[in-house]
Every structure is written in structure tokens, then in C-alpha cells.
Amino acid sequence: MHYVITQDGSPTIYDENFKEHHHSLIGAYTEAFYKFAQLASTVLRSKNTIKLLDLPFGLGYNLVATLDLCQTLPNKPFIECTAIEKDFEIIQKIAVCPFEENLKNKFEPLKVLSCGQNQIHGKYFSLNLIIEDLLLALPKLKDNFDLIYYDAFSPRSAPALWSKDNVFKYLAENLNENGFLITYTASNKVRKGLLELGLNIAPTSALGRKMPGTIASKQKLSNRFTEETWQKIQKAQSY
Ligand SMILES: C[S@@+](CC[C@H](N)C(=O)[O-])C[C@H]1O[C@@H](n2cnc3c(N)ncnc32)[C@H](O)[C@@H]1O
């Protein structure tokens, strides 16, 4: 595991076991902001307290970018975050990651996690960090989230983490009626699973990756899929 500085200057981690960077090389912070936080802005504007499920938590970029966005919104919502991460070694890296000055300040409130503290009650957010394999943690989760970020290693290198029955079924059960589930993947098998669970889906921006991401909700979404893409989703067998 080693650090890599991405194009916007923010550091990410390269994981030798999964042979993947934690973020797109276009920018770890940029990706968190545009592929997660910004897509959530409709939900973030809709209430003063937002329940967010952020998984896997990794270095916590997606939460940090969301808190940044919230400060620009008129309602400045409070974020009540539940996060899951398997590897405490990654959490410990938050305290020593080579962030440049501006980012260092943003990550400062998360540094206590590196000492083993798993709850934070801050001015703008609270965090309950569960250190566990998400495949074991999700069946125990009973909540009602406004937002779910799903940011596991890719379906190609970690297919078990993209299972309809072992992952997305639980995410759907824990998503409230107006909530959004946001993920960076365009996998047709993942999309097919989301549809089978009764969710509506739409593509998101492709920023920094070859393919767009996916947003899912129990409410209707404006749908920009082409007929050809629908056919691929219906036929999808493998990731
Ligand atoms: C792409 S990174 C997540 C990046 C993170 N969302 C961020 O904003 O920094 C994938 C993360 O999944 C974690 N992970 C891998 N397998 C897992 C599992 N079975 N359960 C929970 N976390 C897992 C890895 O330790 C790694 O931190």
C-alpha cells in the first residue's frame, strides 16, 4: 500500500492486493466532490439533517467533500454519517496521509479515528464508524438513510462486494423513499440488480473514468439511458 498524488494534488492510496487506486487519478478530492457529493445536492438541500451511509469509508474523502458542499448550501444541513470500513490500517492513514495544507484542515476532525475512537460529534456532522467487513455489517443494519454512497473496489477486482443479494438488497432496505444511492460503477450487472430490487436508475457523469456512474432511488428519476444501454442491462450476466 503506498500513496499516489493525483492530478488535483490530493493524495490517494494504491492497494497492491486489489491492484487498484482508491480514487481516480484525475483527483481523489475531485472525484469525491463530483461523483458523490454534487450528485447528492438535491437531497442535501431538502432537509436540515441528512442521514448518510458512506461505504467503504477508506480515507473519508466522500464525507469530507460532502461537508464542503453542505457549507455552500443555504440550509447548511447537518450530516449524520454512518460509515463502514474493513481495514483499520486505512483509517490510521488519515492521520499521516500527505495532504496539502488546505486538505489537511478538512481532514483534521477525522484524525481521532486513527486512535481507535469510532464516534465523532462535531458542529456540522456526526460520525459512527463501523470497522467490519461490509458483507457482515450490512445484514445487521436497520436504518433509514437519505443518502447512500457506495464506493467499493471495482466489480472486476472485488465482485463479491457488488452482489445484489449480499450488498444491494440491504442498501435498498435501508434507503428511504426519497433517498439516493450513488455509486461510480456503470456495470450492467449491478444496474440490473438495482432494477430487480425495484429501484429506478439513471447514469451520472463519467468524470475521470471511461464510463458514467449510477444513481438509484425508490422515486422516479429522469432517465437518460438509450435503448441500446437498456438492452445491455437486461442481458447482463457478468460484471
Ligand atoms: C475505493 S476505496 C474507498 C474510498 C473511500 N470511499 C474514500 O472516500 O476515501 C475501497 C475501500 O474498501 C475497503 N474494503 C475492501 N473490502 C472491504 C469489505 N469487504 N468491507 C468493507 N470495506 C472494504 C478498502 O479497505 C478500501 O478502503
Side-chain angles (χ1 to χ4, degrees):
M1 233 180 260
H2 61 269
Y3 300 113
V4 174
I5 305 299
T6 65
Q7 285 166 35
D8 67 1
S10 58
T12 189
I13 291 175
Y14 180 76
D15 186 307
E16 278 87 6
N17 291 330
F18 286 94
K19 297 195 173 20
E20 271 190 29
H21 294 93
H22 280 214
H23 301 89
S24 154
L25 294 181
I26 194 171
Y29 182 84
T30 301
E31 181 174 50
F33 192 87
Y34 291 103
K35 294 208 85 168
F36 289 92
Q38 203 180 55
L39 297 172
S41 63
T42 317
V43 174
L44 294 170
R45 283 168 197 272
S46 70
K47 284 181 170 185
N48 290 334
T49 299
I50 299 290
K51 285 176 75 80
L52 164 68
L53 176 63
D54 184 6
L55 68 165
F57 190 68
L59 293 170
Y61 269 101
N62 292 342
L63 174 61
V64 165
T66 300
L67 294 174
D68 277 355
L69 182 74
C70 285
Q71 288 316 299
T72 69
L73 301 178
N75 58 326
K76 295 193 173 36
F78 184 87
I79 301 295
E80 217 176 278
C81 179
T82 300
I84 305 174
E85 168 60 52
K86 184 178 174 182
D87 192 350
F88 185 58
E89 208 187 315
I90 300 290
I91 300 298
Q92 287 176 309
K93 293 208 182 304
I94 295 172
V96 292
C97 195
F99 297 119
E100 43 85 18
E101 216 47 47
N102 183 29
L103 273 186
K104 208 181 252 177
N105 294 337
K106 296 178 195 284
F107 280 87
E108 186 66 32
L110 301 184
K111 274 168 83 172
V112 292
L113 301 171
S114 309
C115 314
Q117 184 178 321
N118 61 359
Q119 306 239 341
I120 300 177
H121 294 279
K123 187 169 172 201
Y124 302 112
F125 76 105
S126 64
L127 173 64
N128 176 27
L129 174 65
I130 301 164
I131 302 288
E132 194 175 8
D133 187 325
L134 67 88
L135 296 172
L136 302 175
L138 285 179
K140 295 181 270 184
L141 202 64
K142 294 277 168 289
D143 215 319
N144 197 19
F145 292 101
D146 302 297
L147 272 179
I148 300 179
Y149 294 158
Y150 195 70
D151 194 15
F153 288 125
S154 70
R156 189 174 28 84
S157 51
L161 298 182
W162 298 88
S163 150
K164 181 185 86 171
D165 295 326
N166 300 329
V167 175
F168 290 104
K169 178 177 90 130
Y170 298 111
L171 300 188
E173 282 173 7
N174 282 280
L175 183 66
N176 80 23
E177 287 305 312
N178 298 312
F180 282 1
L181 160 61
I182 298 169
T183 182
Y184 67 84
T185 189
S187 155
N188 285 323
K189 178 116 184 261
V190 170
R191 288 175 169 177
K192 188 178 179 197
L194 293 169
L195 290 171
E196 286 168 359
L197 289 164
L199 298 174
N200 300 296
I201 60 170
T204 66
S205 116
L207 180 100
R209 297 185 186 261
K210 286 189 202 115
M211 303 293 279
T214 303
I215 191 161
S217 179
K218 291 176 183 172
Q219 60 170 301
K220 276 247 170 300
L221 295 164
S222 60
N223 200 325
R224 288 173 287 120
F225 281 123
T226 60
E227 188 52 39
E228 190 191 359
T229 317
W230 277 115
Q231 281 169 15
K232 278 193 200 147
I233 292 170
Q234 299 310 325
K235 282 194 212 134
Q237 295 298 335
S238 69
Y239 294 101

